[in-house]
Amino acid sequence: MDAPNSLTSNVTIGLHKTEPHTDAIASRLNWLRAGVMGANDGIVSIAGLVVGVAAASPERSPIFTAGIAGVAAGAVSMALGEYVSVSTQRDTERVMLAEEKRELEEDPEQEFAELAALYQAKGLSAGTALTVAHELTERDAFAAHVDIELGINPDNLTNPWHAAFSSAVSFTVGALLPLIAILISPVPARIPITFGAVLIALALAGTISAQLGRAARSRAVLRIVAGGAIAMMAAYAIGHLIGGPL
């Protein structure tokens, strides 16, 4: 009689000591990944903007003005876009949850059969699938159905305000790096110094992104650094070609 309990305890301990399995941890990882991407957007977009202006004018004032305006506009744009996107996703999830709740209330027997069939389709035997469906239904039928049918945790829906704030902050933090680098550098060396600072920051962002996604680090870093370098060179070329008084 003690063996099953001991086995269950060992399995539970094993889950705690290995990779994360909870929705909360997965959600935090998603936000961290989104934060890295937001910072990357801030670095690349503002670096391109200030390098382009610096190529057209050696004065710090227009660089500062354009940089601050770009940071403000970019942060608001990122926050608004994330808020609208996540709000739409959350509205859709709520509609789907309401529909599933209605179906459970109107035809619980059919929903039970559907739940058992879904577990059987995952590889369980018919008897085991019925047992699992019965036990989950006894515990929380609604949670069981939305988990396997929709992949949604009704108690952990994404908050659009959190998403908007996270995007705005990460964009701003990333954007300040090229702006500060180009403003504090001596005029003759401001472009090379900014290029170097931005590429180092992008390499770091690529490394973090690769670790979060368990992807090849060298490939992720190469993609993000090459993209940022191309963006800055294009902005510099445009500023140099069309800069000056109109």
Side-chain angles (χ1 to χ4, degrees):
M1 295 296 290
D2 292 336
N5 292 334
S6 176
L7 178 60
T8 301
S9 299
N10 289 338
V11 171
T12 302
I13 292 172
L15 286 175
H16 284 298
K17 289 184 177 180
T18 56
E19 299 173 356
H21 293 274
T22 65
D23 291 332
I25 293 176
S27 178
R28 286 197 295 270
L29 288 175
N30 286 334
W31 285 124
L32 183 56
R33 186 178 293 108
V36 172
M37 293 300 100
N40 172 65
D41 288 342
I43 293 170
V44 174
S45 59
I46 300 305
L49 177 62
V50 296
V51 165
V53 175
S57 171
E59 299 295 327
R60 278 190 170 85
S61 178
I63 298 173
F64 177 77
T65 302
I68 292 297
V71 172
V76 171
S77 176
M78 289 286 291
L80 180 60
E82 197 70 19
Y83 178 83
V84 171
S85 175
V86 174
S87 294
T88 301
Q89 175 186 337
R90 185 165 178 154
D91 291 343
T92 301
E93 289 174 341
R94 284 175 171 170
V95 170
M96 296 168 69
L97 291 171
E99 178 67 16
E100 189 62 36
K101 188 173 184 179
R102 182 187 63 78
E103 291 176 354
L104 275 170
E105 292 173 350
E106 293 180 355
D107 195 351
E109 293 183 0
Q110 175 60 33
E111 288 299 302
F112 175 82
E114 182 182 9
L115 183 63
L118 288 170
Y119 278 108
Q120 189 173 353
K122 284 182 172 289
L124 298 180
S125 66
T128 303
L130 284 171
T131 301
V132 171
H134 177 73
E135 291 185 2
L136 291 176
T137 299
E138 287 292 320
R139 182 179 180 182
D140 190 336
F142 179 65
H145 279 269
V146 298
D147 176 53
I148 193 169
E149 293 185 38
L150 308 177
I152 298 174
N153 182 348
D155 298 323
N156 193 34
L157 297 181
T158 305
N159 189 318
W161 290 106
H162 291 172
F165 179 77
S166 175
S167 293
V169 170
S170 61
F171 180 93
T172 302
V173 170
L176 288 177
L177 186 144
L179 180 58
I180 292 173
I182 204 165
L183 289 175
I184 66 174
S185 301
V187 174
R190 63 170 39 150
I191 301 296
I193 289 175
T194 303
F195 260 77
V198 167
L199 294 183
I200 291 172
L202 289 176
L204 178 60
T207 299
I208 296 173
S209 178
Q211 290 177 342
L212 291 174
R214 297 181 180 179
R217 185 175 64 178
S218 58
R219 186 179 302 173
V221 170
L222 179 61
R223 281 197 300 259
I224 196 170
V225 169
I230 291 172
M232 286 189 291
M233 287 188 291
Y236 177 81
I238 292 171
H240 183 73
L241 290 173
I242 67 174
L246 297 177

